[in-house]
Amino acid sequence: MMLDIRDLRVSLPTERGLLNAVRGVDLQIARGQTLCLVGESGCGKSLTATSIMGLLTRQAQITTDRFEMAGQDLTRKPAAGLARMRGRDVAMIFQDPTSALNPTLTVGRQLTEGVMRSEKLSRRAAEARAVEMLERVGISNPAARLAQYPHGFSGGQRQRIMIASALMGRPKLLIADEPTTALDVTIQAQILQLLGELQADLGLSILLITHDLGVVAAIADDVAVMYAGRIVERAPARDLFVRPRHPYTRGLLAAIPVPGVTPRGSALPAIPGRVPGLIGTLRGCAFRDRCAQAAPDCAADPVPRHGIGAGRFVECVNPEEAST
Amino acid sequence: MLSFLSRRLFVAFCVCVTVSALSFALMFLSGDPAIAIAGAGGRAEDAEAIRIAYGFDRPLIVQYLDWIGSAVTGDLGQSIYFNLPVTEIIGNRVGVTLTLGFISFLVALAVAVPLGIAAALRPNGWIDRIALIIAVSGQAIPSFWLGLMAIVVFGVWYGMVPISGAESWQGFILPVIVLSYYAVPELMRITRSGMIDVLATDYVRAARAKGLPMHLVISRHALRNAVLPLVSLAAVQLGQLLSGSIVIESVFALNGLGRLAWESLLRSDLPVVQAIILVLSLLYVLLTTCADILNAVLDPRLRGAT
C-alpha cells in the first residue's frame, strides 16, 4: 500500500462551534494506482488531501487510527514524519496554477529549491534535473525557460511546471487537488493524459481530488465518493459508473448530461435539498434528508457499511441492488 | 527593466517640474511679495524699488526660469530675515533633521517588521495582541504629550538623558524613540496584513509541500511578496520623518528643518519657506521613485520582465 489511512477525522474550530469537516475517512491506494476522491464543494475532499500533506492550519484537529504512507508508519508522529517526506516521498499539485507559483521567483529557482535542500544537490545538478522534468511534462526549450518568471507562461504551461516541480523529488505518491478545474477543456485533457503517462513511466500513485466525473472516467482506477465528510461509496471506476450503489452516487451520475440520451431542452435531474451543516455531531446517514429512498432506519448510527467484493463498499441502509 | 526605468524617471522629472512651478508660485500666493518685503509701514516708492531690485517687474516665466536656473546650481536665493543665502541656512539645519529622521526610520523598521511578521504568523496570539496595543497607543497618544512625558520621566526624574538640544548623541535618544513610535504602527500593520495575505496563498502552500522548512518559506516566498506594499509605505514615512517634525523639534529644542520652516513662516521669510518646500517635495519625488524601482527589482511583473 502506498497510502493507508483509517478513520481520518479533521475538525476546525469556528465561531459557531467545532466544524467536523472530515468524519472518519478510510483511504487506500496501491502502488501505481489512481484513486479519485469525488464529491461536491464543501464535502471535505480538499481538507482530506491537505491533511495528508500535513499542510492544514495549526488550529485544525486531526486524528487517525492508522496512517501509513510510502512504507512509513506515520500514525504516531505525523507532523515530524511528514516534514521529512514532503517534497520527496509525497508531493502535491494545486487547483489554480496561476497562484501556485510564486510570481517573484524564477521558474528555475522554484523547481530546484526543494531538492537542493532535501537531497543536497548542487545548483547545476538540480537544474539538470529541472530541465529533464520540464522536458518530460512537455515544456519546450526548458533550459532557457528556467530563467523566466511564472507570468510568462500560460495557465496550462504553469500547471505543467507545477507537475514538474512536484516530480523533482521523485515522489511515490502525488496528491492532485482539482488539478484541471482552472484550465480549459482541451488543456484539461492534455494534463490528464500527461498524468497518466507519468504514472505509467514512474509508477506513481495518485490521489486525485475532483468534482468532475469526466476526469474520473479519464484517469481513475478506483473512486471514492465523499459526502458530508465521509466516504459513502468506494468502487473500481468502471463498476461505479456501471452500477452505482449509493443513492448519492446515482444522483451524481444522473446529473451528467449524455449526448443523444438526455433529451434536448429537458431539465437535468438534480439532487434536491442542501448539504447538511457539519458543526456539532451528525448522527445517522448524512444524506437521508435528500434521499428518495430514505427510511426510518436511516437515522441509525453508525450507518451500516456493506462490503461488495474486493475494494468495493457502500455505506447505506438500503443500497441499490446489484441488478440495476 | 530599461524601459520601466526610463518611463519611471520621465514621470519623476515631470513631477519635479510641476513641483518647482508650484513652489515658485507660492511666492505670489500671499500677495505682492514686494509689498510684503517692504513691510506694513513701507511706502509705495520702497515697494517699487524692491520690485526692481528683486526682479519682480519681469514677466513670470522669465522669473521662474531665472529662479529654477539658480536653484539647479544650488542658489536658492537670499533669506529676507537673515540676509544670508538660503542654501547656507538650510545646510546648517538639515543635519539634525536628517540624523533624527534616518535613525528614527531605521528604529521603526527594526521594530515594526519583525513584530508584524510575528503577529501575522499567529493572528490573535499574544504577540499579535501586544502589537495591536502598541499600534493603537502609538496612533492615539499625541506626540507633544509623549515627548513631554518622556522628558519629565527620563530627563528630569531619572536624569538619564539630556532634556533638550542636540549637542551630544544622548540628546537624540528621546526624540528618536518618540518619533519612531509614531512610524511603527502603520509599518507594522501593513507588514502584518501583507504577511497574512501572502501566507494564505497557494504558492506558500506549494513551497511547504516541496518540503522547505518554515523559515525559508517565510523569508524566500512570503516576505518577498509581503514587503511590496511595505516598500511604498516606508518611502512616504521616510519622507515624513526626514522633513522634520515641528512638534518633536520644538519639544526637544532641536534646530532642524521643521523648526526653521515654522519660524520662517512666522517671519514671512518667503525664500526660505519656498526653498524648504521645494527641497522636501523633491525629496518625496526621489523617495517614491526609489521605492518604485526597488519594487520593480523585487517583483518582475512590475518591470515587464518575462
Side-chain angles (χ1 to χ4, degrees):
Chain A
M1 277 299 153
M2 191 50 69
L3 180 70
D4 188 0
I5 294 184
R6 300 288 162 89
D7 200 27
L8 171 71
R9 291 172 186 273
V10 181
S11 302
L12 298 163
T14 68
E15 281 163 20
R16 292 181 294 139
L18 202 59
L19 176 79
N20 296 303
V22 179
R23 304 179 302 123
V25 157
D26 297 349
L27 286 175
Q28 286 85 33
I29 306 176
R31 182 176 297 273
Q33 296 281 297
T34 299
L35 174 70
C36 278
L37 191 57
V38 297
E40 56 199 297
S41 305
C43 72
K45 56 191 194 297
S46 278
L47 273 180
T48 302
T50 320
S51 60
I52 293 171
M53 285 298 284
L55 294 180
L56 280 182
T57 58
R58 263 185 272 262
Q59 288 86 355
Q61 300 160 17
I62 308 168
T63 61
T64 51
D65 267 5
R66 184 193 291 179
F67 182 8
E68 286 176 27
M69 186 158 68
Q72 303 212 29
D73 189 348
L74 298 169
T75 316
R76 281 165 178 253
K77 286 187 175 170
L82 280 169
R84 267 181 280 112
M85 295 177 79
R86 269 196 297 267
R88 310 180 73 173
D89 299 292
V90 53
M92 185 165 184
I93 56 177
F94 298 89
Q95 175 169 349
D96 185 358
T98 56
S99 63
L101 289 164
N102 190 332
T104 58
L105 297 177
T106 62
V107 165
R109 183 89 185 269
Q110 297 189 58
L111 284 168
T112 54
E113 61 180 352
V115 289
M116 281 175 66
R117 238 195 114 74
S118 61
E119 297 179 30
K120 309 261 181 293
L121 288 187
S122 67
R123 176 170 298 276
R124 184 182 294 256
E127 281 179 352
R129 192 185 295 177
V131 167
E132 181 196 326
M133 291 302 168
L134 285 178
E135 213 154 48
R136 179 153 228 161
V137 299
I139 298 284
S140 58
N141 198 8
R145 309 203 76 167
L146 289 183
Q148 292 185 6
Y149 290 93
H151 66 268
F153 295 87
S154 71
Q157 284 175 318
R158 283 190 230 186
Q159 193 60 295
R160 287 170 189 272
I161 292 169
M162 274 309 292
I163 294 171
S165 169
L167 295 177
M168 284 295 288
R170 308 213 158 108
K172 304 183 181 90
L173 173 65
L174 179 68
I175 297 177
D177 187 0
E178 308 241 10
T180 58
T181 306
L183 305 172
D184 60 44
V185 182
T186 48
I187 310 293
Q188 277 188 18
Q190 292 172 14
I191 295 289
L192 288 176
Q193 194 189 353
L194 172 66
L195 284 175
E197 287 167 14
L198 290 170
Q199 180 164 45
D201 293 354
L202 307 172
L204 269 181
S205 299
I206 299 179
L207 173 62
L208 194 138
I209 317 294
T210 183
H211 62 262
D212 185 345
L213 289 164
V215 171
V216 176
I219 196 169
D221 294 305
D222 293 295
V223 188
V225 180
M226 202 163 172
Y227 185 77
R230 279 190 77 80
I231 291 177
V232 293
E233 180 166 10
R234 182 198 157 105
R238 180 178 306 235
D239 296 354
L240 187 99
F241 281 106
V242 176
R243 286 192 217 115
R245 303 290 294 273
H246 196 282
Y248 178 61
T249 315
R250 298 171 64 82
L252 282 184
L253 290 173
I256 306 172
V258 183
V261 177
T262 311
R264 259 177 190 283
S266 70
L268 283 171
I271 303 172
R274 301 176 57 181
V275 184
L278 293 175
I279 287 175
T281 342
L282 194 66
R283 307 199 69 85
C285 174
F287 188 60
R288 65 181 187 273
D289 292 340
R290 304 171 73 183
C291 181
Q293 286 98 350
D297 295 358
C298 295
D301 194 79
V303 185
R305 176 183 285 191
H306 304 281
I308 318 144
R312 172 146 210 204
F313 69 78
V314 56
E315 220 173 65
C316 181
V317 173
N318 289 311
E320 289 294 322
E321 289 311 313
S323 58
T324 49
Chain B
M1 188 70 187
L2 216 61
S3 83
F4 167 83
L5 259 184
S6 53
R7 253 182 299 135
R8 191 60 192 84
L9 291 177
F10 177 71
V11 170
F13 173 76
C14 293
V15 176
C16 286
V17 171
T18 314
V19 157
S20 67
L22 283 174
S23 43
F24 173 73
L26 278 177
M27 195 69 160
F28 301 89
L29 218 59
S30 49
D32 191 332
I35 293 173
I37 294 166
R43 292 170 301 159
E45 300 89 278
D46 295 338
E48 193 53 43
I50 288 166
R51 200 165 284 135
I52 291 163
Y54 283 84
F56 292 138
D57 52 340
R58 295 172 299 163
L60 271 183
I61 184 72
V62 177
Q63 289 185 52
Y64 170 70
L65 290 176
D66 185 38
W67 176 74
I68 200 74
S70 347
V72 291
T73 58
D75 174 14
L76 288 163
Q78 289 282 116
S79 158
I80 297 164
Y81 181 81
F82 294 106
N83 212 10
L84 285 169
V86 172
T87 324
E88 193 183 315
I89 297 170
I90 292 182
N92 287 338
R93 300 290 197 96
V94 81
V96 172
T97 296
L98 288 187
T99 313
L100 180 61
F102 265 117
I103 297 176
S104 303
F105 178 70
L106 293 179
V107 169
L109 271 188
V111 173
V113 173
L115 199 59
I117 294 172
L121 289 178
R122 295 205 183 201
N124 299 319
W126 61 271
I127 295 179
D128 194 18
R129 282 162 208 270
I130 292 173
L132 183 70
I133 293 170
I134 293 175
V136 169
S137 62
Q139 280 170 331
I141 299 173
S143 57
F144 67 86
W145 185 84
L146 188 66
L148 289 173
M149 285 303 116
I151 289 175
V152 167
V153 174
F154 299 105
V156 180
W157 292 359
Y158 293 106
M160 292 157 81
V161 287
I163 55 172
S164 69
E167 286 72 40
S168 64
W169 64 269
Q170 288 100 331
F172 279 103
I173 295 176
L174 288 184
V176 162
I177 291 173
V178 175
L179 201 53
S180 52
Y181 195 41
Y182 289 93
V184 163
E186 272 191 87
L187 293 172
M188 195 265 293
R189 297 201 68 78
I190 208 163
T191 308
R192 178 184 178 274
S193 65
M195 276 303 277
I196 286 181
D197 288 349
V198 170
L199 286 174
T201 58
D202 276 349
Y203 57 81
V204 163
R205 269 207 303 164
R208 290 185 61 203
K210 273 177 218 169
L212 292 185
M214 207 55 198
H215 69 92
L216 271 188
V217 173
I218 291 169
S219 61
R220 189 180 297 163
H221 285 269
L223 205 52
R224 199 181 169 100
N225 288 281
V227 295
L228 297 173
L230 176 71
V231 169
S232 309
L233 176 72
V236 176
Q237 289 249 352
L238 181 58
Q240 277 170 14
L241 293 174
L242 291 184
S243 41
S245 158
I246 294 173
V247 173
I248 298 287
E249 289 181 4
S250 302
V251 166
F252 291 98
L254 300 172
N255 275 321
L257 272 190
R259 270 183 108 189
L260 177 65
W262 173 241
E263 290 161 3
S264 302
L265 272 171
L266 292 181
R267 297 178 196 128
S268 300
D269 197 348
L270 281 174
V272 177
V273 176
Q274 193 180 35
I276 291 176
I277 290 170
L278 180 71
V279 168
L280 294 185
S281 312
L282 296 182
L283 177 73
Y284 269 96
V285 175
L286 177 72
L287 288 174
T288 49
T289 307
C290 287
D292 283 357
I293 292 172
L294 181 57
N295 269 341
V297 170
L298 290 170
D299 188 346
R301 289 168 300 179
L302 295 175
R303 59 177 185 259
T306 53

